[in-house]
Amino acid sequence: MKETRITMGMPATIEIVDASATQEALNMVFDFFNSVDERFSPYKTGSELSRFNRGEITENNVSTDLKTIFALAEKTKQDTNGYFDIMHNGVCDPSGIVKGWAIREGANILRKNGFKNFYVEIAGDIEVSGRNGDGHAWTIGIRNPFNRDEIVKVVHLSNTGIATSGTAVRGDHIYNPKGDARPNEIASITVIGPNVYEADRFATPAFAMGSEGIQFLEGLPNIEGYMIDTKGIATMTSGFTKYTRALTF
Amino acid sequence: MKKVILSIIVLGSFGYYTFSQSQNTPTVAYVAPQTVVTKKQTTPVDQTTTPVTIPVSVPVSTPTPVPVTKPTPTPVPVTKKGLYNDGTYTGDVADAYYGNVQVQAVISNGKLANVIFLDYPQDRSHSLQLSQRAMPILTREAIQAQSANVNGVSGASDTSAAFQQSLTSALSQARA
């Protein structure tokens, strides 16, 4: 059973392979994604996050989920040597981790309901569990950052998360004037981790680090990465190839 | 071509050195001259696209040989979208969910010559404090399109869509 809907302004796909799959189970996850958007969107003036940013509620009386997100953001800030920070010019925007967190929580909803074989995706960030419909590991393509209709790598995943950060543009003409003013050398960076939250929270800062991002990933335990530079050359972490071979169960 | 051959010799001997050093240490070989990996080639354009396959000290637990990647031409950027009036045009702010994307298109001689990011969601404008330890050499390869059927695709689609949106609006102003 598989369905794609738009949530948080992005396409979300859920597939449940288990024979016990129901429409109700899919709805539960989609409803959760919609509630995340309603509560944590920085663009919705009525969201809990916007009310927090306007000072209408304080850090002490926000919801449990928002407290969790604040705590996760703080941990990621420490894990990235301060490179990842949800505070920008006095405004809190935790979007950089909310998506990965939401996908993982969506996958957890399915787990709590007894499902073992499923796929949960929002806009290219994916968590997979168990096996696909053919009884094999889930096969995920890494999109060509120069041609969104192509994939340039296939990885075989089970009980794993994958997230990609990047841009569809290429060449040496892209500058990031807010950063260190050097041309952005990286087209995309894909991160595989024990779950999609772990993958996603490191993908964004790794991309912002430029060509050093892959070395940053190399130093993280249980995290692998595949970086594509603007010349079409990929660099992978030393353990990445374990995902490029078909898994046997 | 001499420079390429020289580079291969240098990298090759460097790789041998790394490999021989790794025999003495159980972990991944850490090497100091990071410039070998990230060095900018000053050779002509066609040579800069030649992938450099860095010799790697394969971990003992990974007996499978690293696939050798054949050189393939890097995809050529599509920068020509018809004739435009010269000048600099600012695109609309596009929502990439993670933040806003806004680009400026620079038209020179009627062609798109440059794209500048005015706003970009991944930028966190914090100084990067990477550890200063020596970096391991990692495997590189030229990307190649795959034809396999897959269950899903991982990519940075949201940012890309916002980029396209902003660039399109900038170019529509530039249209002759």
Side-chain angles (χ1 to χ4, degrees):
Chain A
M1 188 170 264
K2 181 177 180 178
E3 188 174 342
T4 297
R5 293 187 202 171
I6 299 295
T7 184
M8 307 184 202
M10 299 176 280
T13 298
I14 302 165
E15 180 177 357
I16 306 176
V17 172
D18 299 83
S20 54
T22 59
Q23 183 64 47
E24 193 188 0
L26 293 180
N27 290 348
M28 271 193 293
V29 181
F30 283 121
D31 288 349
F32 171 72
F33 288 160
N34 289 335
S35 81
V36 168
D37 195 25
E38 292 299 323
R39 290 182 290 162
F40 307 137
S41 170
Y43 305 110
K44 291 188 194 289
T45 53
S47 73
E48 182 184 5
L49 180 68
S50 293
R51 286 191 290 133
F52 171 76
N53 275 326
R54 289 195 301 267
E56 294 167 18
I57 46 175
T58 67
E59 202 166 333
N60 291 325
N61 50 27
V62 297
S63 66
T64 309
D65 278 349
L66 193 50
K67 277 180 185 161
T68 301
I69 287 165
F70 286 159
L72 294 173
E74 181 57 32
K75 183 174 188 307
T76 300
K77 184 180 177 181
Q78 290 168 9
D79 290 346
T80 58
N81 300 320
Y83 201 67
F84 181 96
D85 196 339
I86 61 173
M87 295 302 295
H88 314 295
N89 304 321
V91 175
C92 174
D93 179 5
S95 304
I97 59 166
V98 163
K99 186 167 106 171
W101 172 81
I103 302 168
R104 184 184 62 170
E105 291 301 301
N108 283 340
I109 289 172
L110 296 179
R111 282 189 194 96
K112 281 176 198 150
N113 283 273
F115 299 108
K116 290 187 167 55
N117 304 288
F118 55 81
Y119 170 107
V120 183
E121 175 195 353
I122 301 178
D125 293 350
I126 302 162
E127 178 145 334
V128 292
S129 176
R131 309 177 187 196
N132 68 11
D134 298 327
H136 300 122
W138 295 89
T139 52
I140 309 296
I142 295 176
R143 174 174 289 138
N144 185 347
F146 311 111
N147 178 357
R148 57 171 293 111
D149 297 328
E150 270 181 16
I151 56 171
V152 294
K153 203 77 184 169
V154 178
V155 290
H156 303 263
L157 305 179
S158 183
N159 305 321
T160 307
I162 182 169
T164 298
S165 189
T167 164
V169 292
R170 76 196 103 174
D172 295 324
H173 302 307
I174 300 125
Y175 293 85
N176 187 343
K178 281 188 184 176
D180 51 12
R182 71 179 170 191
N184 193 337
E185 307 146 309
I186 301 309
S188 76
I189 191 157
T190 298
V191 181
I192 300 175
N195 59 61
V196 68
Y197 165 72
E198 288 294 321
D200 180 57
R201 76 187 183 111
F202 289 122
T204 304
F207 179 75
M209 289 174 192
S211 61
E212 286 156 341
I214 194 73
Q215 301 285 359
F216 169 70
L217 296 177
E218 175 73 12
L220 296 173
N222 304 316
I223 295 285
E224 302 298 341
Y226 191 81
M227 176 184 83
I228 301 172
D229 71 18
T230 50
K231 299 201 181 303
I233 303 297
T235 308
M236 64 193 87
T237 55
S238 54
F240 182 82
T241 52
K242 68 172 172 271
Y243 296 116
T244 59
R245 294 188 286 271
L247 293 177
T248 48
F249 287 96
Chain B
M1 204 55 208
K2 277 184 182 174
K3 286 185 179 175
V4 171
I5 293 167
L6 185 64
S7 300
I8 290 169
I9 293 168
V10 169
L11 291 171
S13 51
F14 183 63
Y16 172 76
Y17 170 78
T18 305
F19 182 76
S20 61
Q21 288 299 301
S22 69
Q23 303 307 299
N24 303 325
T25 51
T27 52
V28 176
Y30 283 79
V31 290
Q34 182 198 346
T35 49
V36 173
V37 184
T38 58
K39 72 168 184 155
K40 296 262 187 234
Q41 295 192 28
T42 52
T43 43
V45 176
D46 62 325
Q47 293 184 4
T48 62
T49 59
T50 306
V52 181
T53 304
I54 308 285
V56 175
S57 58
V58 180
V60 180
S61 59
T62 314
T64 310
V66 178
V68 176
T69 315
K70 287 184 178 162
T72 49
T74 305
V76 178
V78 180
T79 52
K80 193 177 178 183
K81 288 203 169 184
L83 287 174
Y84 300 108
N85 292 322
D86 286 3
T88 300
Y89 303 88
T90 304
D92 293 340
V93 176
D95 179 3
Y97 190 76
Y98 277 29
N100 292 328
V101 166
Q102 188 178 28
V103 298
Q104 220 167 39
V106 179
I107 309 295
S108 176
N109 298 321
K111 292 179 184 173
L112 176 60
N114 203 348
V115 175
I116 299 163
F117 274 97
L118 301 179
D119 199 358
Y120 192 68
Q122 265 82 5
D123 173 39
R124 295 307 185 209
S125 64
H126 286 266
S127 63
L128 171 58
Q129 300 288 327
L130 269 184
S131 79
Q132 295 301 307
R133 68 148 194 265
M135 303 289 190
I137 291 179
L138 301 176
T139 306
R140 307 177 76 192
E141 65 185 18
I143 58 168
Q144 282 180 300
Q146 310 283 312
S147 56
N149 285 324
V150 289
N151 296 126
V153 174
S154 185
S157 56
D158 48 351
T159 305
S160 321
F163 169 80
Q164 290 287 355
Q165 195 182 325
S166 187
L167 180 61
T168 302
S169 78
L171 289 177
S172 67
Q173 300 166 43
R175 199 164 285 282

